[in-house]
Amino acid sequence: MTLAATAAGHGFLSPTGVEIAFLLVGLATLGAAVVTVTTRQLVHAALWLVVALGGIAIEYLLLTAEFIAWVQVLIYVGSVVVLLLFGLMLTKAPIGRSPDADSGNRWAALVVALASAGTLVWVVVDAFRATWINLDGAVQGSTATSGRSLFQYWVLPFEALSVLLLAALVGAIVLSRRGGEGKAPAATLRNTAATAPAQREEQR
């Protein structure tokens, strides 16, 4: 990164092809994220989440951070989404439209989302307003640099996230087992219902 003053010939009115691609991919990612939180079909939400996370990985590639991009694909697209789909299957969540998925707090969620987005934009702009990334230069997010930062300064949040995902998977398995306990198979229930009148006649 260098100061914006040293980036001669660059500006918001003269974007490069990489910057235009970054903007277009960002808009597509934002649209996929909006569909993820607004759809009432849980499986569709998980699939749109794949699109959103994949778009973020492309953004990392455009920012010359190839290590973070592949980590995004391997961990989030390849693990988190698969874990969500397994959770949906284990808890026997409905595949189609789910009216119960709407909690009725859309306006409160919208206010929180806008406040969070505004805060994040303000923090990023305030922190990096005087910096410029040379997207046409050498790769800056190399494996060595990113791995050192990740496992030296962010190792605790990284491990906490893995424990949280493991707890979510164990919880899904427990809920699925509790739902099956104490319930007779459907065929047994049908046979019982069919033979009940005959048994009552014999008792009479």
Side-chain angles (χ1 to χ4, degrees):
M1 292 185 182
T2 59
L3 294 177
T6 62
H10 293 280
F12 292 104
L13 298 180
S14 59
T16 63
V18 177
E19 293 171 349
I20 294 175
F22 184 87
L23 179 60
L24 295 178
V25 174
L27 292 176
T29 304
L30 178 61
V34 171
V35 176
T36 300
V37 298
T38 54
T39 183
R40 292 188 178 182
Q41 298 188 5
L42 298 179
V43 176
H44 288 184
L47 296 178
W48 278 109
L49 182 61
V50 173
V51 178
L53 296 176
I56 294 176
I58 296 175
E59 299 284 57
Y60 284 133
L61 282 178
L62 294 176
L63 290 174
T64 69
E66 86 287 356
F67 175 70
I68 302 298
W70 294 121
V71 169
Q72 173 81 12
V73 173
L74 292 175
I75 295 180
Y76 288 95
V77 179
S79 299
V80 174
V81 176
V82 173
L83 180 61
L84 290 175
L85 293 175
F86 268 102
L88 292 177
M89 290 186 293
L90 289 174
T91 55
K92 300 178 181 179
I95 301 299
R97 192 174 182 85
S98 304
D100 296 336
D102 189 0
S103 63
N105 297 322
R106 287 192 174 186
W107 290 109
L110 180 61
V111 171
V112 173
L114 291 177
S116 302
T119 303
L120 289 175
V121 170
W122 180 81
V123 169
V124 171
V125 170
D126 184 68
F128 300 101
R129 67 174 62 188
T131 58
W132 187 274
I133 300 177
N134 185 14
L135 299 179
D136 298 326
V139 175
Q140 299 178 5
S142 62
T143 304
T145 303
S146 302
R148 187 182 304 110
S149 176
L150 178 64
F151 293 104
Q152 184 176 359
Y153 301 105
W154 302 99
V155 63
L156 290 180
F158 186 80
E159 295 298 331
L161 178 61
S162 63
V163 173
L164 179 62
L165 294 175
L166 178 61
L169 180 60
V170 172
I173 295 175
V174 171
L175 290 176
S176 64
R177 291 178 62 86
R178 286 181 179 178
E181 292 178 356
K183 294 183 179 179
T188 304
L189 294 177
R190 287 195 298 268
N191 293 334
T192 303
T195 57
Q199 292 178 354
R200 285 197 296 267
E201 291 295 333
E202 293 177 357
Q203 291 176 358
R204 292 178 181 176

